PDB file of all heavy atoms in Angstrom:
ATOM      1  N   PHE A  59     -24.454  33.299   7.211  1.00 89.00           N
ATOM      2  CA  PHE A  59     -23.700  34.538   7.008  1.00 89.00           C
ATOM      3  C   PHE A  59     -23.742  34.946   5.540  1.00 89.00           C
ATOM      4  O   PHE A  59     -23.972  36.119   5.207  1.00 89.00           O
ATOM      5  CB  PHE A  59     -22.251  34.313   7.454  1.00 89.00           C
ATOM      6  CG  PHE A  59     -21.448  35.578   7.581  1.00 89.00           C
ATOM      7  CD1 PHE A  59     -21.247  36.159   8.824  1.00 89.00           C
ATOM      8  CD2 PHE A  59     -20.890  36.179   6.462  1.00 89.00           C
ATOM      9  CE1 PHE A  59     -20.505  37.321   8.945  1.00 89.00           C
ATOM     10  CE2 PHE A  59     -20.152  37.342   6.582  1.00 89.00           C
ATOM     11  CZ  PHE A  59     -19.951  37.923   7.820  1.00 89.00           C
ATOM     12  N   ARG A  64     -25.996  38.585   1.245  1.00 79.00           N
ATOM     13  CA  ARG A  64     -26.684  38.764  -0.018  1.00 79.00           C
ATOM     14  C   ARG A  64     -27.940  39.593   0.162  1.00 79.00           C
ATOM     15  O   ARG A  64     -28.306  40.399  -0.685  1.00 79.00           O
ATOM     16  CB  ARG A  64     -27.029  37.401  -0.643  1.00 79.00           C
ATOM     17  CG  ARG A  64     -26.192  37.119  -1.893  1.00 79.00           C
ATOM     18  CD  ARG A  64     -26.409  35.701  -2.388  1.00 79.00           C
ATOM     19  NE  ARG A  64     -25.610  34.756  -1.599  1.00 79.00           N
ATOM     20  CZ  ARG A  64     -26.103  33.685  -0.974  1.00 79.00           C
ATOM     21  NH1 ARG A  64     -27.380  33.420  -1.022  1.00 79.00           N
ATOM     22  NH2 ARG A  64     -25.288  32.889  -0.308  1.00 79.00           N
ATOM     23  N   LYS A  73     -21.432  37.208  13.411  1.00 87.00           N
ATOM     24  CA  LYS A  73     -19.980  37.092  13.401  1.00 87.00           C
ATOM     25  C   LYS A  73     -19.443  36.832  14.811  1.00 87.00           C
ATOM     26  O   LYS A  73     -18.573  35.996  15.021  1.00 87.00           O
ATOM     27  CB  LYS A  73     -19.359  38.366  12.834  1.00 87.00           C
ATOM     28  CG  LYS A  73     -17.844  38.332  12.761  1.00 87.00           C
ATOM     29  CD  LYS A  73     -17.342  39.418  11.826  1.00 87.00           C
ATOM     30  CE  LYS A  73     -15.912  39.860  12.087  1.00 87.00           C
ATOM     31  NZ  LYS A  73     -14.973  38.840  12.516  1.00 87.00           N
ATOM     32  N   LYS A 368     -13.467  -3.780  -5.284  1.00 80.00           N
ATOM     33  CA  LYS A 368     -14.908  -3.536  -5.350  1.00 80.00           C
ATOM     34  C   LYS A 368     -15.640  -4.858  -5.281  1.00 80.00           C
ATOM     35  O   LYS A 368     -15.517  -5.690  -6.156  1.00 80.00           O
ATOM     36  CB  LYS A 368     -15.264  -2.843  -6.667  1.00 80.00           C
ATOM     37  CG  LYS A 368     -15.022  -1.349  -6.651  1.00 80.00           C
ATOM     38  CD  LYS A 368     -16.321  -0.588  -6.413  1.00 80.00           C
ATOM     39  CE  LYS A 368     -16.084   0.914  -6.451  1.00 80.00           C
ATOM     40  NZ  LYS A 368     -16.284   1.551  -5.162  1.00 80.00           N
TER      41      LYS A 368
ATOM     42  P     G B  18     -17.508  32.123  -4.269  1.00 53.27           P
ATOM     43  OP1   G B  18     -17.953  31.329  -5.422  1.00 53.27           O
ATOM     44  OP2   G B  18     -17.972  33.492  -4.091  1.00 53.27           O
ATOM     45  O5'   G B  18     -17.800  31.358  -2.897  1.00 53.27           O
ATOM     46  C5'   G B  18     -18.174  30.004  -2.839  1.00 53.27           C
ATOM     47  C4'   G B  18     -19.092  29.813  -1.641  1.00 53.27           C
ATOM     48  O4'   G B  18     -18.982  30.984  -0.812  1.00 53.27           O
ATOM     49  C3'   G B  18     -20.563  29.667  -1.998  1.00 53.27           C
ATOM     50  O3'   G B  18     -20.987  28.402  -1.539  1.00 53.27           O
ATOM     51  C2'   G B  18     -21.282  30.751  -1.235  1.00 53.27           C
ATOM     52  O2'   G B  18     -22.290  30.152  -0.355  1.00 53.27           O
ATOM     53  C1'   G B  18     -20.246  31.281  -0.288  1.00 53.27           C
ATOM     54  N9    G B  18     -20.199  32.702   0.018  1.00 53.27           N
ATOM     55  C8    G B  18     -20.189  33.803  -0.788  1.00 53.27           C
ATOM     56  N7    G B  18     -20.036  34.940  -0.142  1.00 53.27           N
ATOM     57  C5    G B  18     -19.954  34.541   1.195  1.00 53.27           C
ATOM     58  C6    G B  18     -19.775  35.308   2.374  1.00 53.27           C
ATOM     59  O6    G B  18     -19.631  36.511   2.493  1.00 53.27           O
ATOM     60  N1    G B  18     -19.751  34.523   3.499  1.00 53.27           N
ATOM     61  C2    G B  18     -19.868  33.161   3.481  1.00 53.27           C
ATOM     62  N2    G B  18     -19.823  32.551   4.662  1.00 53.27           N
ATOM     63  N3    G B  18     -20.020  32.407   2.404  1.00 53.27           N
ATOM     64  C4    G B  18     -20.060  33.180   1.300  1.00 53.27           C
ATOM     65  P     U B  19     -20.980  27.075  -1.939  1.00 53.27           P
ATOM     66  OP1   U B  19     -20.563  26.321  -0.770  1.00 53.27           O
ATOM     67  OP2   U B  19     -20.242  27.049  -3.211  1.00 53.27           O
ATOM     68  O5'   U B  19     -22.490  26.733  -2.289  1.00 53.27           O
ATOM     69  C5'   U B  19     -22.793  25.382  -2.611  1.00 53.27           C
ATOM     70  C4'   U B  19     -24.124  25.320  -3.266  1.00 53.27           C
ATOM     71  O4'   U B  19     -25.069  26.045  -2.449  1.00 53.27           O
ATOM     72  C3'   U B  19     -24.223  26.076  -4.594  1.00 53.27           C
ATOM     73  O3'   U B  19     -23.568  25.443  -5.687  1.00 53.27           O
ATOM     74  C2'   U B  19     -25.748  26.190  -4.733  1.00 53.27           C
ATOM     75  O2'   U B  19     -26.373  24.989  -5.077  1.00 53.27           O
ATOM     76  C1'   U B  19     -26.129  26.484  -3.283  1.00 53.27           C
ATOM     77  N1    U B  19     -26.346  27.930  -3.137  1.00 53.27           N
ATOM     78  C2    U B  19     -27.684  28.319  -3.156  1.00 53.27           C
ATOM     79  O2    U B  19     -28.590  27.514  -3.249  1.00 53.27           O
ATOM     80  N3    U B  19     -27.903  29.663  -3.044  1.00 53.27           N
ATOM     81  C4    U B  19     -26.941  30.650  -2.917  1.00 53.27           C
ATOM     82  O4    U B  19     -27.297  31.828  -2.829  1.00 53.27           O
ATOM     83  C5    U B  19     -25.595  30.186  -2.908  1.00 53.27           C
ATOM     84  C6    U B  19     -25.352  28.865  -3.018  1.00 53.27           C
ATOM     85  P     U B  47     -16.689   4.860  -3.397  1.00 53.27           P
ATOM     86  OP1   U B  47     -16.492   3.424  -3.629  1.00 53.27           O
ATOM     87  OP2   U B  47     -17.986   5.372  -2.919  1.00 53.27           O
ATOM     88  O5'   U B  47     -15.559   5.360  -2.391  1.00 53.27           O
ATOM     89  C5'   U B  47     -14.198   5.040  -2.645  1.00 53.27           C
ATOM     90  C4'   U B  47     -13.310   5.695  -1.629  1.00 53.27           C
ATOM     91  O4'   U B  47     -13.394   7.135  -1.773  1.00 53.27           O
ATOM     92  C3'   U B  47     -13.699   5.463  -0.173  1.00 53.27           C
ATOM     93  O3'   U B  47     -13.265   4.198   0.293  1.00 53.27           O
ATOM     94  C2'   U B  47     -12.987   6.618   0.519  1.00 53.27           C
ATOM     95  O2'   U B  47     -11.608   6.374   0.614  1.00 53.27           O
ATOM     96  C1'   U B  47     -13.222   7.744  -0.496  1.00 53.27           C
ATOM     97  N1    U B  47     -14.426   8.527  -0.174  1.00 53.27           N
ATOM     98  C2    U B  47     -14.310   9.484   0.823  1.00 53.27           C
ATOM     99  O2    U B  47     -13.270   9.686   1.418  1.00 53.27           O
ATOM    100  N3    U B  47     -15.450  10.196   1.089  1.00 53.27           N
ATOM    101  C4    U B  47     -16.677  10.041   0.476  1.00 53.27           C
ATOM    102  O4    U B  47     -17.607  10.756   0.825  1.00 53.27           O
ATOM    103  C5    U B  47     -16.720   9.018  -0.540  1.00 53.27           C
ATOM    104  C6    U B  47     -15.616   8.313  -0.817  1.00 53.27           C
ATOM    105  P     C B  68     -13.291  37.070   9.981  1.00 53.27           P
ATOM    106  OP1   C B  68     -14.143  38.251  10.222  1.00 53.27           O
ATOM    107  OP2   C B  68     -12.140  36.776  10.865  1.00 53.27           O
ATOM    108  O5'   C B  68     -14.231  35.782   9.935  1.00 53.27           O
ATOM    109  C5'   C B  68     -14.744  35.231  11.145  1.00 53.27           C
ATOM    110  C4'   C B  68     -15.870  34.289  10.835  1.00 53.27           C
ATOM    111  O4'   C B  68     -17.000  35.027  10.323  1.00 53.27           O
ATOM    112  C3'   C B  68     -15.576  33.286   9.719  1.00 53.27           C
ATOM    113  O3'   C B  68     -14.880  32.157  10.215  1.00 53.27           O
ATOM    114  C2'   C B  68     -16.961  32.922   9.236  1.00 53.27           C
ATOM    115  O2'   C B  68     -17.602  32.021  10.105  1.00 53.27           O
ATOM    116  C1'   C B  68     -17.656  34.280   9.327  1.00 53.27           C
ATOM    117  N1    C B  68     -17.594  35.025   8.048  1.00 53.27           N
ATOM    118  C2    C B  68     -18.416  34.614   6.988  1.00 53.27           C
ATOM    119  O2    C B  68     -19.151  33.638   7.136  1.00 53.27           O
ATOM    120  N3    C B  68     -18.374  35.273   5.824  1.00 53.27           N
ATOM    121  C4    C B  68     -17.549  36.329   5.693  1.00 53.27           C
ATOM    122  N4    C B  68     -17.543  36.953   4.522  1.00 53.27           N
ATOM    123  C5    C B  68     -16.702  36.770   6.749  1.00 53.27           C
ATOM    124  C6    C B  68     -16.760  36.084   7.912  1.00 53.27           C
TER     125        C B  68
END
Side-chain angles (χ1 to χ4, degrees):
Chain A
F59 193 100
R64 250 172 280 126
K73 181 163 156 36
K368 279 260 182 247

